[in-house]
Amino acid sequence: MEVTMAEGGGERNVDVAALFDMLRQCKDSAEEIVAKMLAIKTEAEPKSQLRELVTQILLNFVTLRQVNRSILLEEDGVKAETEHAKVPVELTRLQLHSLMYEKNHYAKAIKACKEFRTKYPGIELVPEEEFIRNAPEDIKSSILSTDRTHDLMLKRLNYELNQRKELCKLREKLELQKKALQETIANRKKFLSSLPSQLKALKKASLPVQHQLGVLQTKKLMQHQLAELLPPPLYVIYSQLFAQKEAFGENIELDITGNVKEAQAFTRQLANKDAAMSTNLVNSKLEDDAPDDSDDGQRRRKRPKKAPSKENLDQSEIYQNHPLKVILHINDDEASDMNSAKLITLKFEFLIKLNIVCVGVEDSEEVPQNNILCNLFPDDTGLELPQQAAKLRIGTSLSFDESTTSRPYKWAQHLAGIDFLPEVSPMVSAAEESNSETTKHASASLGLSLYRQQNRVQTVVQRIRTRKKALLALV
């Protein structure tokens, strides 16, 4: 290894490895000489040999000191070179530390800039295209900054500020409208809460006027509500009579009387019964469709339920009435006084078990009141049941109970919409009376015309009114 050294302003090359080899050789030579000197003293050889050895060892010591001095000088030169080389390294290290400090400073500044909260944090500005399209010219034409991007941002912020000011004004206006509407709603709620009592008082106060003018609107509404609880036959009678009164101004009055609670209970019972019957019908159909597990593989057949015997039906159950009744007041169309205008009052009842409608005179001051309704149409005394099914239900007694005030007249069944077939064909009965073909056709035509007349409310009311007038004339 050669090292260039500067000493006294000059440079020299020193082989450090050669110096260490020379030092090692001098040390080995000194050890050999010392070993020889010990051997001479031990063997008692002549001392003349010791002088030469001492001279050689001294020369070795001088060489050692010279080599040692050269090594020390070399070490000092290396240290000086090291110190000289450390100066640029330290400068570079200081520059590196300065750069790292500046880097950290800039990083902190960038982070602080990123985390810096401006005056408009989280503001959702309108898109730039919409701003250019919709912003007013005074905002777009103003110059707020030399930086184009910053200037555009400031303009967009001004546009957003103007929009928000307008929205604040609109909000205040809407708040005032909302407050006014809330006050109006509160006043109307207060009025609506007191409206039922006012309507009740108005309704009570208007009753005398309604009676005076003959327009009983309250009673009419109540009657219509009660009509919904009527059985279908009585409802048909009520609707036809009411339609006749409204359409042609017939001088009649209608009322629905009876126990409303019992009628409601009967309606609910009938609805539950219909629902149960439909459920049982579906279940029985499913059971009939299911195959039987018997050996022959045939399907199971249910026996029909036995109808209740005629002996089990009580007389009161047979003539059981529906809780509601339809009252018909027939007035005199020629009378001027309202008190003397009422001629007769009829009561329509529905027998639930027999499915027929019975009619009777309500105000029976005289005994033969049923004579007015008896034979109102030919062969209609009201003592014979109009339906074959009703006769079968009653059993041995084929005639209606004469002790009751109401009778099942045929014209009442026609008015109620209850259609039934006669027991004997009209053509056969006409043939028994006369053998001529002309008589049979005339009888059939007469029966058809009579049937059509019986379906008309006007014909029935007119006949009852005429018969009542005739009876009053006789009395």
Side-chain angles (χ1 to χ4, degrees):
M1 177 180 179
E2 294 183 358
V3 178
T4 303
M5 297 182 59
E7 186 178 3
E11 293 183 359
R12 60 189 184 88
N13 295 328
V14 178
D15 189 0
V16 180
L19 292 176
F20 278 103
D21 289 341
M22 187 180 296
L23 184 64
R24 194 178 297 109
Q25 291 175 3
C26 292
K27 180 179 74 68
D28 293 339
S29 177
E31 288 177 354
E32 290 177 0
I33 292 172
V34 170
K36 288 180 181 180
M37 291 176 67
L38 289 175
I40 291 172
K41 286 185 178 182
T42 302
E43 295 177 0
E45 293 181 357
K47 294 183 179 180
S48 58
Q49 296 180 359
L50 290 174
R51 290 178 181 173
E52 293 180 359
L53 294 174
V54 169
T55 302
Q56 292 179 359
I57 197 169
L58 288 175
L59 291 174
N60 287 330
F61 279 133
V62 172
T63 304
L64 282 174
R65 288 189 67 183
Q66 185 179 1
V67 172
N68 189 24
R69 183 174 178 276
S70 298
I71 291 173
L72 291 176
L73 291 174
E74 183 68 22
E75 182 180 357
D76 291 339
V78 171
K79 286 182 179 180
E81 289 180 358
T82 304
E83 290 294 333
H84 182 70
K86 282 175 66 177
V87 174
V89 173
E90 289 295 332
L91 292 176
T92 306
R93 181 170 172 271
L94 290 175
Q95 290 178 358
L96 177 63
H97 278 286
S98 299
L99 292 175
M100 293 298 295
Y101 179 78
E102 289 181 3
K103 176 188 173 183
N104 294 334
H105 175 72
Y106 287 132
K108 289 181 180 179
I110 291 172
K111 184 179 179 181
C113 290
K114 288 182 178 180
E115 294 179 354
F116 178 73
R117 294 186 177 274
T118 61
K119 295 181 180 179
Y120 44 94
I123 296 178
E124 296 181 0
L125 300 177
V126 297
E128 186 175 347
E129 296 79 6
E130 185 178 352
F131 167 76
I132 296 174
R133 185 175 61 252
N134 299 330
E137 290 297 331
D138 56 346
I139 294 179
K140 291 192 293 184
S141 61
S142 61
I143 299 175
L144 303 176
S145 176
T146 55
D147 188 2
R148 183 179 178 183
T149 306
H150 186 56
D151 182 66
L152 180 61
M153 177 61 70
L154 293 178
K155 291 178 181 179
R156 292 173 64 187
L157 286 173
N158 289 336
Y159 179 63
E160 184 71 22
L161 179 61
N162 292 335
Q163 282 189 331
R164 297 202 176 191
K165 286 181 178 179
E166 293 177 359
L167 290 176
C168 288
K169 293 179 181 178
L170 180 61
R171 181 176 176 271
E172 293 177 357
K173 182 179 179 181
L174 293 178
E175 287 289 343
L176 294 176
Q177 292 181 1
K178 179 183 176 183
K179 187 176 180 181
L181 289 176
Q182 286 179 348
E183 292 178 356
T184 304
I185 291 172
N187 294 332
R188 291 184 179 181
K189 282 185 177 180
K190 185 177 179 181
F191 171 73
L192 289 176
S193 61
S194 61
L195 186 60
S197 59
Q198 294 179 5
L199 290 177
K200 188 175 181 181
L202 179 62
K203 183 172 160 183
K204 185 176 180 181
S206 64
L207 286 178
V209 180
Q210 292 183 18
H211 284 289
Q212 186 69 25
L213 298 177
V215 182
L216 301 177
Q217 189 68 22
T218 305
K219 183 178 180 181
K220 182 179 178 181
L221 293 176
M222 294 178 62
Q223 293 295 317
H224 285 356
Q225 292 176 359
L226 290 177
E228 297 178 357
L229 301 176
L230 290 173
L234 292 184
Y235 185 84
V236 172
I237 291 177
Y238 178 81
S239 63
Q240 289 196 26
L241 292 173
F242 186 79
Q244 180 71 22
K245 177 182 177 182
E246 291 290 327
F248 299 102
E250 189 70 42
N251 195 5
I252 57 176
E253 296 179 6
L254 291 172
D255 287 329
I256 299 177
T257 60
N259 195 328
V260 180
K261 293 183 178 180
E262 291 183 3
Q264 292 175 350
F266 180 77
T267 304
R268 287 194 296 267
Q269 181 182 0
L270 187 61
N272 296 333
K273 183 179 179 181
D274 293 340
M277 288 180 63
S278 61
T279 304
N280 295 334
L281 182 61
V282 172
N283 294 335
S284 63
K285 185 176 181 181
L286 293 176
E287 291 178 359
D288 292 340
D289 293 341
D292 195 3
D293 295 337
S294 58
D295 295 335
D296 54 359
Q298 295 180 354
R299 296 192 176 188
R300 186 185 308 169
R301 295 183 178 179
K302 290 187 175 181
R303 295 180 180 179
K305 294 183 179 180
K306 293 183 179 180
S309 60
K310 300 173 184 177
E311 290 78 5
N312 296 334
L313 293 176
D314 191 8
Q315 195 74 7
S316 61
E317 293 182 357
I318 293 177
Y319 295 102
Q320 180 184 0
N321 295 331
H322 190 271
L324 296 181
K325 303 174 182 61
V326 176
I327 306 299
L328 172 62
H329 303 280
I330 300 178
N331 301 328
D332 189 2
D333 52 354
E334 297 177 358
S336 58
D337 189 4
M338 295 298 297
N339 296 327
S340 62
K342 292 184 179 180
L343 290 177
I344 190 171
T345 302
L346 302 182
K347 175 178 64 177
F348 291 87
E349 298 176 338
F350 178 69
L351 303 185
I352 301 173
K353 297 295 182 180
L354 299 180
N355 193 24
I356 58 176
V357 176
C358 295
V359 187
V361 180
E362 182 72 14
D363 46 356
S364 307
E365 297 179 358
E366 302 175 3
V367 178
Q369 285 293 335
N370 283 326
N371 293 334
I372 299 177
L373 303 179
C374 183
N375 289 321
L376 188 64
F377 294 92
D379 298 330
D380 192 6
T381 60
L383 297 177
E384 182 181 359
L385 293 172
Q387 293 189 26
Q388 186 69 19
K391 294 179 180 180
L392 293 176
R393 283 184 177 274
I394 290 180
T396 56
S397 176
L398 298 179
S399 60
F400 193 73
D401 188 6
E402 298 182 5
S403 61
T404 59
T405 57
S406 300
R407 303 285 176 83
Y409 298 101
K410 294 179 182 180
W411 58 267
Q413 318 307 316
H414 294 317
L415 287 180
I418 301 177
D419 297 328
F420 52 88
L421 292 173
E423 298 179 9
V424 181
S425 174
M427 300 295 293
V428 175
S429 60
E432 290 179 356
E433 293 177 1
S434 176
N435 294 327
S436 64
E437 195 70 22
T438 306
T439 307
K440 289 192 290 185
H441 286 292
S443 178
S445 301
L446 181 60
L448 183 59
S449 177
L450 197 61
Y451 176 79
R452 288 175 178 173
Q453 290 179 358
Q454 290 174 0
N455 276 281
R456 296 178 181 177
V457 178
Q458 185 178 3
T459 304
V460 174
V461 173
Q462 191 63 32
R463 289 197 177 190
I464 295 175
R465 184 182 287 122
T466 303
R467 185 169 289 190
K468 179 63 177 178
K469 288 182 179 180
L471 185 60
L472 290 176
L474 293 175
V475 173

